[in-house]
Amino acid sequence: MEQKADRGQLPVWQWMKNKNNLIIIVLIGIILLIAAIPTNAKKEGNSAISANKEGENTTELEGRLKAILEKTQGVGAVEVMITQKEEEHAYFSEQKKGGEVLGVLVAAEHGDDAVVIKKIMEAVQALFEVDTHRIKIVKMNLNKSGG
């Protein structure tokens, strides 16, 4: 007993015998399979300074950030401190240490100037992809006396 659809349409098995219909079904199946492949939702950023990719330690990152900030107009002398989440990565026989930047502290000569603070904030965010609440900019104490 064959089951026919209403309005005189062909049964499903006869409809699938047509090559064009079968090709369409196979293509739809392939598209669904491709769409179901999991993707890496959290892609690594293309930061100009990346601890994970370059295997730099915190001291190297601080030195590079200090150098670039001191070349930025209006900033003046700076001291930088970076905290990182420590992670070890093994690439073949090399051990590289690096990690996600957790926070950045910048003591700047002109750290009380709103324009300078904005420049430093934007630079740190661009380089390390750190949220603003994890960046602190303070005015550097230029007095040599310890009091």
Side-chain angles (χ1 to χ4, degrees), residues 10 13 23 32 35-36 58 62 66 80 92-93 106 114 117 127 130 137:
L10 296 174
W13 64 271
I23 290 171
L32 289 174
T58 305
E62 289 170 349
K66 179 180 190 243
V80 175
F92 300 102
S93 62
V106 178
I117 291 171
L127 294 172
V130 179
I137 295 125

Side-chain angles (χ1 to χ4, degrees), residues 106-118:
V106 178
E109 183 177 348
H110 301 287
D112 56 347
D113 182 343
V115 174
V116 170
I117 291 171
K118 184 175 188 261

Side-chain angles (χ1 to χ4, degrees), residues 38-135:
T39 58
N40 187 4
K42 185 178 179 183
K43 295 182 180 179
E44 288 186 23
N46 294 327
S47 299
I49 300 177
S50 174
N52 287 332
K53 291 182 182 176
E54 298 176 15
E56 292 180 298
N57 65 29
T58 305
T59 306
E60 291 169 331
L61 290 173
E62 289 170 349
R64 290 180 65 193
L65 180 59
K66 179 180 190 243
I68 197 69
L69 288 178
E70 287 180 339
K71 291 178 184 175
T72 304
Q73 183 177 2
V75 174
V78 296
E79 289 297 325
V80 175
M81 181 177 175
I82 297 174
T83 58
Q84 287 183 285
K85 180 178 179 182
E86 287 300 318
E87 296 175 356
E88 288 190 19
H89 302 280
Y91 298 105
F92 300 102
S93 62
E94 277 185 45
Q95 279 282 359
K96 292 189 175 186
K97 288 191 175 186
E100 174 186 355
V101 174
L102 298 176
V104 178
L105 172 66
V106 178
E109 183 177 348
H110 301 287
D112 56 347
D113 182 343
V115 174
V116 170
I117 291 171
K118 184 175 188 261
K119 285 181 183 180
I120 294 172
M121 244 343 157
E122 290 173 350
V124 171
Q125 282 182 303
L127 294 172
F128 299 111
E129 297 178 0
V130 179
D131 292 332
T132 55
H133 71 277
R134 295 186 177 265
I135 304 168

